[in-house]
Amino acid sequence: MKKQSLITFSSIFLICIGLFSTLLLDESLGSRIAEVITLITAVVGAVALFLQFRRDKDINEASFLLEFWNNFTETPDLIDIQKKCDDDIRRKTSSFTKDDYKGILTYAQWLEALSTTINRDILAFNFIDDMFNYMFFVFVNNKYVQKVEILPNIQFYNGILTAYKSWTKYLKKHNKSILLEENALDKAVEEYLNKTNKK
């Protein structure tokens, strides 16, 4: 808000100087100064417009994130699966049963949708990391989830795999830890593909 006020004030100030110089100075010098001031005003206006577009983009991203977050918190299957992933961290053993498969599939599809927005640069990691990091890594780095859904159906989860690689790269670049890195999805995929190719 302060930047926009400063830009507006600067533009008005420059226009006033241009008008004043045109009136007081001779015609040729006054017109040159007026042209320079007009050019500067146009540049300042373009910058103000750019800042407004950027602000609108940030607001749209925030709206989208809030909607995505609400979708998660309002879907009982997603909440239940995250709780089981949380339990697995505490217990060091799986708390999943065969009855959880539908919920696991729903969670994986939800993450595939989130991954699409990441992979298409609709959302940037600096915008989503705090909000979705835990939800993403607690699931994709869960051994049981990998075993029953992601690995056997790897061809359907290209979005998750691509987002995983980009996200882990982002985290390493910013010296942030990766949740359950010992069960890293990319390593599990590599091992799985090596085993299936040997058969």
Side-chain angles (χ1 to χ4, degrees):
M1 197 62 136
K2 289 182 181 180
K3 286 182 183 178
Q4 288 178 332
S5 298
L6 181 62
I7 290 169
T8 304
F9 175 77
S10 299
S11 298
I12 292 170
F13 180 73
L14 290 173
I15 290 170
C16 290
I17 289 176
L19 291 173
F20 182 73
S21 65
T22 302
L23 294 173
L24 292 180
L25 300 173
D26 72 36
E27 226 175 88
S28 63
L29 182 60
S31 66
R32 284 189 205 136
I33 292 174
E35 287 173 11
V36 169
I37 291 174
T38 302
L39 180 63
I40 291 171
T41 304
V43 169
V44 169
V47 168
L49 194 58
F50 169 77
L51 292 174
Q52 183 61 41
F53 283 139
R54 197 164 130 198
R55 182 176 172 271
D56 290 347
K57 181 182 179 280
D58 289 346
I59 289 170
N60 289 337
E61 282 181 344
S63 257
F64 181 80
L65 286 177
L66 184 60
E67 187 176 326
F68 221 77
W69 176 265
N70 288 338
N71 176 268
F72 184 92
T73 59
E74 293 168 2
T75 307
D77 281 347
L78 298 175
I79 300 295
D80 291 343
I81 296 303
Q82 184 173 338
K83 284 179 185 174
K84 293 217 173 187
C85 288
D86 294 342
D87 290 346
D88 285 3
I89 293 172
R90 283 191 281 289
R91 293 182 187 174
K92 304 286 184 198
T93 60
S94 182
S95 57
F96 286 102
T97 67
K98 290 180 181 180
D99 295 337
D100 294 316
Y101 184 73
K102 177 183 170 262
I104 289 171
L105 184 61
T106 301
Y107 202 112
Q109 290 170 343
W110 184 84
L111 282 184
E112 187 66 19
L114 176 65
S115 297
T116 299
T117 65
I118 294 166
N119 299 335
R120 292 186 178 183
D121 293 326
I122 295 169
L123 297 174
F125 290 117
N126 62 333
F127 232 67
I128 65 163
D129 187 52
D130 291 338
M131 197 172 210
F132 293 110
N133 178 309
Y134 186 83
M135 293 171 176
F136 186 84
F137 288 97
V138 78
F139 183 80
V140 299
N141 283 345
N142 181 287
K143 283 186 174 187
Y144 184 84
V145 169
Q146 291 172 355
K147 182 178 138 188
V148 300
E149 179 55 26
I150 297 176
L151 297 176
N153 300 298
I154 200 72
Q155 70 273 20
F156 301 115
Y157 296 116
N158 286 326
I160 287 175
L161 290 173
T162 303
Y164 185 90
K165 289 173 187 172
S166 301
W167 209 330
T168 54
K169 186 178 177 181
Y170 169 84
L171 292 172
K172 288 174 183 176
K173 180 181 177 184
H174 291 87
N175 297 318
K176 294 183 174 186
S177 62
I178 298 167
L179 182 66
L180 300 171
E181 188 172 19
E182 66 275 12
N183 304 330
L185 178 62
D186 55 350
K187 291 176 187 168
V189 168
E190 187 178 323
E191 288 173 14
Y192 177 80
L193 293 176
N194 285 338
K195 283 180 188 175
T196 55
N197 289 337
K198 288 180 182 177
K199 290 181 181 179

